Short mmCIF file of all heavy atoms in Angstrom, two decimals:
data_model
loop_
_atom_site.label_atom_id
_atom_site.label_comp_id
_atom_site.label_asym_id
_atom_site.label_seq_id
_atom_site.Cartn_x
_atom_site.Cartn_y
_atom_site.Cartn_z
N ALA A 83 6.85 5.75 -0.57
CA ALA A 83 6.17 6.29 -1.76
C ALA A 83 5.31 5.29 -2.40
O ALA A 83 5.47 4.06 -2.19
CB ALA A 83 7.23 6.63 -2.82
N SER A 84 4.18 5.71 -2.87
CA SER A 84 3.25 4.83 -3.56
C SER A 84 2.78 5.58 -4.85
O SER A 84 2.62 6.70 -4.95
CB SER A 84 1.99 4.55 -2.68
OG SER A 84 1.34 5.64 -2.48
N VAL A 85 2.54 4.78 -5.88
CA VAL A 85 2.12 5.24 -7.22
C VAL A 85 0.83 4.50 -7.61
O VAL A 85 0.90 3.19 -7.65
CB VAL A 85 3.19 5.16 -8.30
CG1 VAL A 85 2.70 5.57 -9.72
CG2 VAL A 85 4.45 6.01 -7.91
N ASN A 86 -0.21 5.08 -7.82
CA ASN A 86 -1.53 4.43 -8.30
C ASN A 86 -2.02 5.18 -9.44
O ASN A 86 -1.90 6.49 -9.53
CB ASN A 86 -2.51 4.56 -7.02
CG ASN A 86 -2.10 3.45 -6.03
OD1 ASN A 86 -2.23 2.30 -6.26
ND2 ASN A 86 -1.56 3.92 -4.89
N THR A 87 -2.79 4.50 -10.41
CA THR A 87 -3.41 5.07 -11.43
C THR A 87 -4.85 4.72 -11.32
O THR A 87 -5.15 3.60 -11.03
CB THR A 87 -2.75 4.51 -12.79
OG1 THR A 87 -1.44 4.88 -12.89
CG2 THR A 87 -3.60 5.11 -13.95
N TYR A 88 -5.73 5.67 -11.59
CA TYR A 88 -7.13 5.67 -11.39
C TYR A 88 -7.79 6.13 -12.67
O TYR A 88 -7.30 6.97 -13.43
CB TYR A 88 -7.59 6.55 -10.35
CG TYR A 88 -6.82 6.45 -8.95
CD1 TYR A 88 -5.71 7.08 -8.70
CD2 TYR A 88 -7.37 5.50 -8.04
CE1 TYR A 88 -5.05 7.02 -7.50
CE2 TYR A 88 -6.55 5.32 -6.81
CZ TYR A 88 -5.49 6.14 -6.50
OH TYR A 88 -4.82 5.93 -5.45
N THR A 89 -8.98 5.55 -12.95
CA THR A 89 -9.84 6.12 -14.10
C THR A 89 -11.05 6.61 -13.37
O THR A 89 -11.73 5.84 -12.43
CB THR A 89 -10.28 4.95 -15.03
OG1 THR A 89 -9.06 4.45 -15.50
CG2 THR A 89 -11.20 5.50 -16.12
N LEU A 90 -11.41 7.89 -13.54
CA LEU A 90 -12.57 8.55 -12.90
C LEU A 90 -13.78 7.82 -13.27
O LEU A 90 -14.09 7.33 -14.44
CB LEU A 90 -12.75 9.92 -13.43
CG LEU A 90 -11.64 10.97 -13.00
CD1 LEU A 90 -11.75 12.25 -13.64
CD2 LEU A 90 -11.63 11.15 -11.41
N GLY A 91 -14.59 7.48 -12.07
CA GLY A 91 -15.83 6.73 -12.31
C GLY A 91 -15.80 5.29 -12.44
O GLY A 91 -16.81 4.66 -12.52
N VAL A 92 -14.51 4.75 -12.32
CA VAL A 92 -14.33 3.20 -12.46
C VAL A 92 -13.71 2.70 -11.19
O VAL A 92 -12.66 3.30 -10.80
CB VAL A 92 -13.53 2.89 -13.86
CG1 VAL A 92 -13.19 1.44 -13.86
CG2 VAL A 92 -14.30 3.51 -14.99
N GLU A 93 -14.22 1.58 -10.73
CA GLU A 93 -13.51 0.96 -9.63
C GLU A 93 -12.15 0.49 -9.94
O GLU A 93 -12.05 -0.13 -11.05
CB GLU A 93 -14.36 -0.21 -9.02
CG GLU A 93 -13.86 -0.78 -7.70
CD GLU A 93 -14.66 -1.73 -7.15
OE1 GLU A 93 -14.52 -2.99 -7.69
OE2 GLU A 93 -15.44 -1.59 -6.12
N CYS A 94 -11.15 1.02 -9.15
CA CYS A 94 -9.73 0.66 -9.43
C CYS A 94 -9.08 -0.11 -8.19
O CYS A 94 -9.68 0.18 -7.03
CB CYS A 94 -8.87 1.92 -9.78
SG CYS A 94 -9.51 2.74 -11.18
N GLU A 95 -8.01 -0.62 -8.34
CA GLU A 95 -7.25 -1.15 -7.22
C GLU A 95 -6.36 -0.17 -6.73
O GLU A 95 -5.39 0.29 -7.53
CB GLU A 95 -6.60 -2.43 -7.54
CG GLU A 95 -5.72 -2.94 -6.37
CD GLU A 95 -6.04 -4.38 -6.07
OE1 GLU A 95 -7.22 -4.90 -6.44
OE2 GLU A 95 -5.36 -4.96 -5.29
N GLU A 96 -6.18 0.19 -5.60
CA GLU A 96 -5.21 1.22 -4.95
C GLU A 96 -4.17 0.35 -4.15
O GLU A 96 -4.59 -0.42 -3.23
CB GLU A 96 -5.96 2.08 -4.01
CG GLU A 96 -5.10 3.25 -3.49
CD GLU A 96 -5.83 4.23 -2.61
OE1 GLU A 96 -6.14 3.89 -1.41
OE2 GLU A 96 -6.18 5.27 -3.15
N LYS A 97 -2.91 0.46 -4.55
CA LYS A 97 -1.84 -0.31 -3.94
C LYS A 97 -1.34 0.56 -2.70
O LYS A 97 -1.22 1.76 -2.84
CB LYS A 97 -0.73 -0.59 -4.78
CG LYS A 97 -1.21 -1.39 -5.93
CD LYS A 97 -0.14 -1.70 -7.02
CE LYS A 97 -0.74 -2.53 -8.10
NZ LYS A 97 -0.95 -1.70 -9.27
N GLY A 98 -1.02 -0.01 -1.62
CA GLY A 98 -0.45 0.66 -0.48
C GLY A 98 -0.06 -0.40 0.57
O GLY A 98 0.20 -1.60 0.30
N LEU A 99 -0.23 -0.08 1.85
CA LEU A 99 0.17 -0.97 2.90
C LEU A 99 -0.78 -2.10 2.78
O LEU A 99 -0.51 -3.20 3.09
CB LEU A 99 0.02 -0.36 4.39
CG LEU A 99 1.07 0.81 4.59
CD1 LEU A 99 0.78 1.49 5.93
CD2 LEU A 99 2.43 0.13 4.54
N GLN A 100 -2.07 -1.76 2.37
CA GLN A 100 -3.12 -2.81 2.12
C GLN A 100 -3.82 -2.46 0.77
O GLN A 100 -4.20 -1.25 0.59
CB GLN A 100 -4.14 -2.91 3.24
CG GLN A 100 -5.08 -3.92 3.04
CD GLN A 100 -6.17 -3.73 4.15
OE1 GLN A 100 -6.05 -3.09 5.16
NE2 GLN A 100 -7.34 -4.48 3.95
N ASN A 101 -3.79 -3.41 -0.23
CA ASN A 101 -4.42 -3.03 -1.50
C ASN A 101 -5.95 -2.97 -1.24
O ASN A 101 -6.47 -3.85 -0.54
CB ASN A 101 -4.17 -4.06 -2.49
CG ASN A 101 -2.61 -4.12 -2.82
OD1 ASN A 101 -2.00 -3.13 -2.46
ND2 ASN A 101 -2.26 -5.02 -3.76
N ARG A 102 -6.63 -2.02 -1.85
CA ARG A 102 -8.02 -1.82 -1.65
C ARG A 102 -8.77 -1.35 -3.01
O ARG A 102 -7.98 -0.61 -3.69
CB ARG A 102 -8.36 -1.12 -0.50
CG ARG A 102 -7.49 0.01 -0.18
CD ARG A 102 -7.96 0.88 1.00
NE ARG A 102 -7.47 0.46 2.23
CZ ARG A 102 -6.37 0.73 2.96
NH1 ARG A 102 -5.60 1.60 2.40
NH2 ARG A 102 -6.11 0.25 4.05
N LYS A 103 -9.98 -1.66 -3.06
CA LYS A 103 -10.79 -1.03 -4.19
C LYS A 103 -11.33 0.18 -3.92
O LYS A 103 -11.67 0.54 -2.76
CB LYS A 103 -11.94 -2.06 -4.39
CG LYS A 103 -11.64 -3.37 -4.80
CD LYS A 103 -11.07 -3.56 -6.08
CE LYS A 103 -10.89 -5.06 -6.63
NZ LYS A 103 -10.09 -5.13 -7.81
N VAL A 104 -11.20 1.21 -4.93
CA VAL A 104 -11.69 2.55 -4.73
C VAL A 104 -12.23 2.96 -6.10
O VAL A 104 -11.84 2.60 -7.07
CB VAL A 104 -10.52 3.52 -4.23
CG1 VAL A 104 -9.39 3.46 -5.23
CG2 VAL A 104 -11.00 4.87 -3.98
N THR A 105 -13.32 3.92 -5.93
CA THR A 105 -13.87 4.61 -7.14
C THR A 105 -13.61 6.05 -6.95
O THR A 105 -14.11 6.58 -5.89
CB THR A 105 -15.29 4.31 -7.39
OG1 THR A 105 -15.48 2.89 -7.49
CG2 THR A 105 -15.88 5.02 -8.61
N CYS A 106 -12.98 6.76 -7.68
CA CYS A 106 -12.63 8.16 -7.66
C CYS A 106 -13.59 8.97 -8.63
O CYS A 106 -13.65 8.60 -9.83
CB CYS A 106 -11.18 8.50 -7.90
SG CYS A 106 -10.09 7.72 -6.81
N THR A 107 -14.10 10.07 -8.13
CA THR A 107 -14.90 10.87 -9.07
C THR A 107 -14.62 12.39 -8.71
O THR A 107 -14.14 12.58 -7.53
CB THR A 107 -16.52 10.69 -8.75
OG1 THR A 107 -16.80 10.90 -7.38
CG2 THR A 107 -16.92 9.32 -9.32
N ILE A 108 -14.83 13.20 -9.67
CA ILE A 108 -14.89 14.64 -9.36
C ILE A 108 -16.29 15.19 -9.13
O ILE A 108 -17.02 14.93 -10.02
CB ILE A 108 -14.22 15.46 -10.44
CG1 ILE A 108 -12.76 14.95 -10.56
CG2 ILE A 108 -14.34 17.06 -10.20
CD1 ILE A 108 -11.86 15.74 -11.63
N GLN A 109 -16.50 15.69 -7.99
CA GLN A 109 -17.93 16.15 -7.65
C GLN A 109 -17.73 17.66 -7.35
O GLN A 109 -17.40 18.04 -6.19
CB GLN A 109 -18.51 15.34 -6.49
CG GLN A 109 -18.61 13.92 -6.87
CD GLN A 109 -19.20 13.01 -5.75
OE1 GLN A 109 -19.86 13.54 -4.72
NE2 GLN A 109 -19.04 11.76 -5.80
N GLY A 110 -18.14 18.45 -8.25
CA GLY A 110 -17.93 19.89 -8.10
C GLY A 110 -16.53 20.24 -7.92
O GLY A 110 -15.64 20.01 -8.84
N ASP A 111 -16.08 20.82 -6.88
CA ASP A 111 -14.76 21.30 -6.57
C ASP A 111 -13.88 20.23 -5.81
O ASP A 111 -12.91 20.65 -5.34
CB ASP A 111 -14.77 22.69 -6.02
CG ASP A 111 -15.36 22.66 -4.59
OD1 ASP A 111 -15.94 21.66 -4.23
OD2 ASP A 111 -15.14 23.64 -3.85
N ALA A 112 -14.49 19.08 -5.77
CA ALA A 112 -13.78 18.03 -4.87
C ALA A 112 -13.37 16.76 -5.61
O ALA A 112 -14.11 16.30 -6.56
CB ALA A 112 -14.71 17.67 -3.67
N LEU A 113 -12.34 16.05 -5.25
CA LEU A 113 -11.98 14.82 -5.67
C LEU A 113 -12.43 13.78 -4.62
O LEU A 113 -11.94 13.90 -3.33
CB LEU A 113 -10.33 14.71 -5.87
CG LEU A 113 -9.93 13.19 -6.21
CD1 LEU A 113 -10.44 12.59 -7.35
CD2 LEU A 113 -8.42 13.11 -6.06
N VAL A 114 -13.50 12.94 -4.98
CA VAL A 114 -14.06 12.12 -3.87
C VAL A 114 -13.64 10.60 -4.09
O VAL A 114 -13.65 10.16 -5.31
CB VAL A 114 -15.58 12.18 -4.02
CG1 VAL A 114 -16.14 11.17 -3.07
CG2 VAL A 114 -16.01 13.58 -3.75
N SER A 115 -13.12 9.96 -3.12
CA SER A 115 -12.69 8.52 -3.34
C SER A 115 -13.59 7.63 -2.31
O SER A 115 -13.66 7.94 -1.19
CB SER A 115 -11.19 8.50 -2.78
OG SER A 115 -10.51 9.28 -3.55
N ASP A 116 -14.29 6.82 -2.91
CA ASP A 116 -15.18 5.91 -2.21
C ASP A 116 -14.65 4.51 -2.19
O ASP A 116 -14.37 3.84 -3.10
CB ASP A 116 -16.60 5.84 -2.90
CG ASP A 116 -17.38 7.01 -2.68
OD1 ASP A 116 -17.52 7.50 -1.54
OD2 ASP A 116 -17.76 7.65 -3.75
N TYR A 117 -14.39 4.02 -0.94
CA TYR A 117 -13.87 2.71 -0.76
C TYR A 117 -15.02 1.73 -0.02
O TYR A 117 -15.41 2.12 1.10
CB TYR A 117 -12.70 2.82 0.37
CG TYR A 117 -11.65 3.70 -0.01
CD1 TYR A 117 -11.61 5.06 0.14
CD2 TYR A 117 -10.46 3.03 -0.54
CE1 TYR A 117 -10.54 5.73 -0.23
CE2 TYR A 117 -9.33 3.84 -0.96
CZ TYR A 117 -9.32 5.14 -0.65
OH TYR A 117 -8.37 5.97 -1.10
N PRO A 118 -15.50 0.72 -0.82
CA PRO A 118 -16.66 0.09 -0.21
C PRO A 118 -16.13 -0.96 0.69
O PRO A 118 -17.04 -1.39 1.46
CB PRO A 118 -17.08 -0.61 -1.54
CG PRO A 118 -15.94 -0.72 -2.52
CD PRO A 118 -15.15 0.50 -2.20
N ASN A 119 -15.01 -1.19 0.85
CA ASN A 119 -14.64 -2.36 1.92
C ASN A 119 -13.11 -1.85 2.24
O ASN A 119 -12.15 -2.74 1.97
CB ASN A 119 -14.55 -3.70 1.18
CG ASN A 119 -14.38 -4.76 2.20
OD1 ASN A 119 -14.21 -4.62 3.33
ND2 ASN A 119 -14.04 -5.89 1.53
#
């Protein structure tokens, strides 16, 4: 199990097997997650 908290439109740290930066947005009918690295 993993638990992560995100703020829409703000780069956040996602915890998992490897921690990574992600920005989540809602674009129309989709949840979009952008990982720059």
Side-chain angles (χ1 to χ4, degrees):
S84 65
V85 178
N86 286 287
T87 299
Y88 308 90
T89 301
L90 291 172
V92 176
E93 187 175 72
C94 301
E95 175 123 354
E96 183 177 80
K97 298 175 186 102
L99 296 174
Q100 178 182 351
N101 293 352
R102 34 182 84 92
K103 300 287 186 186
V104 61
T105 302
C106 298
T107 56
I108 294 178
Q109 297 180 18
D111 64 350
L113 173 61
V114 177
S115 303
D116 287 305
Y117 299 85
N119 186 13

